[in-house]
């Protein structure tokens, strides 16, 4: 087999990394690459992958008996021996720059990355910013890290949204780097007395949850599936991405693909991901975020300009580029 892909997490993960890996695998299928296998812990618990992909499943223990030409680890580290030349995708530096507060969880996140830095024959990441951060952390030559950015699925496109709602959407996360507290302060300063709602999709940490619940402005938390999230993107007055750090920033790109005006931090990889398709704002400046929220709500022309810029940015993505990028690494190692 030309390429064996670590698919331990693939059946369960349908968010950031899972979406990235799926786009690569769909791209490989579209390019006619059929000499690919998916490495699973146990075939019995991974049968859903057989219906999703045309590629055979192999168990980890089979690698020793029949080593592939190359193994790809796409889950931020190495968790089993490849018995072949291998490469790893390390998406971002956050296991080290925003480490887990629990020491056991921190070691569990960091150890597979450290092993990959030591043992993998090649390293891949998803943005030039992440490549620079990995260089600073581990001394890896940034020029020796292949950058293979993600693309989004065709699923993300404008759809009819629920009429009558006026809201700003924030796709949340429990990580401190999502910068939820700044957005909550800025939103309340902008809309305390106006019928604009802050829609928070996803999970918040305990501190941000407390701050959110104390807000006087209109607000709501939802846990949407992808179909619901696409509708929320499509109907938003704006999608706010105030993160202090993102390895790429797929929510910003998904929002642009759905025709939403995007306000994003001018930090980390978000300028790369947005590439002219969003209004970029200092993630430490609450006043600037307040003013941007007010402007995008009041100014229909600004919203239209941001929608057009976002859709134009998304149109520049090549859906097969991630698969081609991964194939280049495979050929280099084979």
């Amino acid at each position: 087999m030309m390429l064996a892909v670590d698919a331990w997490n693939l059946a369960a993960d349908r968010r950031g990394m899972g979406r990235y890996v799926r786009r690569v695998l769909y791209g490989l299928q579209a390019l006619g690459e059929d000499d690919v296998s998916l490495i699973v812990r146990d075939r019995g618990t991974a049968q859903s992958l057989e219906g999703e992909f045309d590629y055979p499943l192999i168990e980890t223990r089979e690698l020793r008996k029949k080593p592939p030409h190359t193994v790809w680890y796409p889950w931020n580290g190495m968790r089993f021996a490849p018995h072949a030349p291998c490469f790893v995708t390390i998406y971002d530096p956050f296991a080290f720059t925003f480490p887990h507060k629990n020491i056991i969880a921190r070691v569990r996140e960091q150890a597979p990355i450290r092993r990959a830095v030591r043992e993998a024959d090649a390293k891949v990441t998803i943005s030039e910013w992440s490549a620079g951060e990995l260089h600073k952390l581990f001394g890896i030559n940034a020029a020796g890290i292949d950058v293979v950015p993600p693309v989004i699925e065709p699923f993300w496109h404008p759809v009819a949204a629920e009429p009558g709602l006026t809201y700003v959407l924030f796709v949340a996360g429990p990580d401190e780097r999502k910068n939820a507290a700044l957005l909550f302060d800025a939103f309340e300063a902008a809309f305390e007395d106006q019928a604009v709602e802050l829609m928070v999709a996803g999970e918040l940490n305990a501190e941000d949850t407390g701050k959110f619940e104390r807000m006087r402005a209109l607000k709501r938390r939802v846990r949407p599936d992808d179909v619901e999230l696409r509708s929320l993107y499509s109907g938003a007055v704006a999608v706010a991405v105030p993160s202090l750090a993102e390895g790429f920033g797929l929510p910003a790109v998904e929002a642009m693909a759905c025709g939403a005006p995007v306000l994003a931090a001018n930090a980390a990889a978000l300028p790369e991901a947005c590439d002219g398709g969003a209004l970029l704002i200092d993630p430490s400046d609450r006043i600037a975020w307040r003013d941007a929220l007010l402007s995008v709500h009041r100014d229909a022309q600004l919203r239209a300009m941001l929608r057009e810029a976002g859709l134009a940015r998304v149109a520049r993505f090549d859906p097969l580029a991630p698969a081609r990028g991964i194939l280049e690494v495979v050929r280099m190692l084979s």
Side-chain angles (χ1 to χ4, degrees):
M1 69 194 85
M2 175 191 70
L3 174 64
V5 180
D6 171 7
W8 275 21
N9 296 338
L10 189 56
D13 188 344
R14 294 188 172 271
R15 294 300 300 168
M17 293 185 197
R19 287 179 177 172
Y20 181 86
V21 177
R22 280 178 169 79
R23 289 316 308 164
V24 171
L25 292 174
Y26 296 154
L28 292 174
Q29 289 183 166
L31 291 170
E33 297 292 340
D34 55 7
D35 197 6
V36 177
S37 296
L38 305 181
I39 306 167
V40 297
R41 299 190 201 205
D42 177 72
R43 285 189 181 86
T45 59
Q47 291 179 345
S48 64
L49 297 178
E50 292 182 318
E52 186 176 358
F53 301 101
D54 295 333
Y55 297 134
L57 308 183
I58 60 171
E59 295 184 0
T60 311
R61 58 188 173 81
E62 297 175 50
L63 292 174
R64 185 186 296 273
K65 298 176 184 176
K66 188 179 179 182
H69 293 140
T70 315
V71 173
W72 175 34
Y73 294 94
W75 307 104
N76 253 6
M78 293 174 62
R79 291 169 177 82
F80 55 83
H83 304 290
C86 67
F87 65 102
V88 62
T89 298
I90 304 173
Y91 294 80
D92 53 59
F94 303 143
F96 300 90
T97 55
F98 292 88
H100 202 290
K101 294 177 182 178
N102 180 284
I103 190 169
I104 296 174
R106 189 186 319 154
V107 170
R108 188 181 299 122
E109 289 179 353
Q110 292 180 354
I113 299 174
R114 293 186 188 278
R115 178 182 178 184
V117 169
R118 292 193 309 268
E119 299 181 16
D121 299 287
K123 287 84 177 175
V124 174
T125 192
I126 58 173
S127 66
E128 296 293 344
W129 178 83
S130 283
E133 292 298 295
L134 295 174
H135 166 66
K136 287 189 285 187
L137 271 172
F138 301 113
I140 307 169
N141 185 345
I145 303 174
D146 292 278
V147 177
V148 182
V151 297
I152 57 169
E153 301 171 5
F155 171 86
W156 301 105
H157 59 82
V159 297
E162 186 175 342
L165 292 178
T166 303
Y167 61 91
V168 172
L169 177 65
F170 171 49
V171 179
D175 306 305
E176 180 185 348
R177 63 185 173 83
K178 294 296 183 181
N179 208 16
L182 175 135
L183 177 63
F184 296 166
D185 286 345
F187 185 88
E188 191 148 54
F191 299 121
E192 182 180 357
D193 299 321
Q194 299 184 47
V196 180
E197 188 170 5
L198 178 61
M199 192 84 71
V200 174
E203 189 177 354
L204 294 169
N205 61 39
E207 185 176 345
D208 290 335
T209 296
K211 191 174 187 68
F212 179 76
E213 290 173 348
R214 291 191 298 271
M215 288 176 64
R216 296 179 300 276
L218 290 172
K219 79 272 189 186
R220 191 188 332 174
R221 284 183 65 185
V222 293
R223 296 183 181 276
D225 60 22
D226 281 353
V227 172
E228 293 164 333
L229 182 58
R230 181 175 61 183
S231 180
L232 288 173
Y233 281 143
S234 297
V237 167
V239 173
V241 188
S243 299
L244 297 167
E246 294 286 348
F248 188 74
L250 273 179
V253 180
E254 291 171 356
M256 289 189 285
C258 293
V262 173
L263 309 179
N266 63 351
L270 282 166
E272 280 181 67
C274 295
D275 192 21
L279 181 62
L280 300 180
I281 309 158
D282 184 340
S284 67
D285 192 335
R286 286 173 171 78
I287 301 303
W289 276 88
R290 179 202 66 186
D291 293 346
L293 289 165
L294 281 169
S295 295
V296 78
H297 172 239
R298 293 171 176 170
D299 190 339
Q301 187 173 359
L302 175 60
R303 292 197 301 274
M305 181 190 74
L306 288 171
R307 286 191 186 99
E308 291 174 9
L311 290 168
R313 164 51 177 144
V314 172
R316 294 197 295 273
F317 281 109
D318 174 1
L320 297 179
R324 292 193 179 102
I326 292 299
L327 278 177
E328 288 181 15
V329 181
V330 172
R331 287 164 182 155
M332 178 186 71
L333 295 177
S334 298

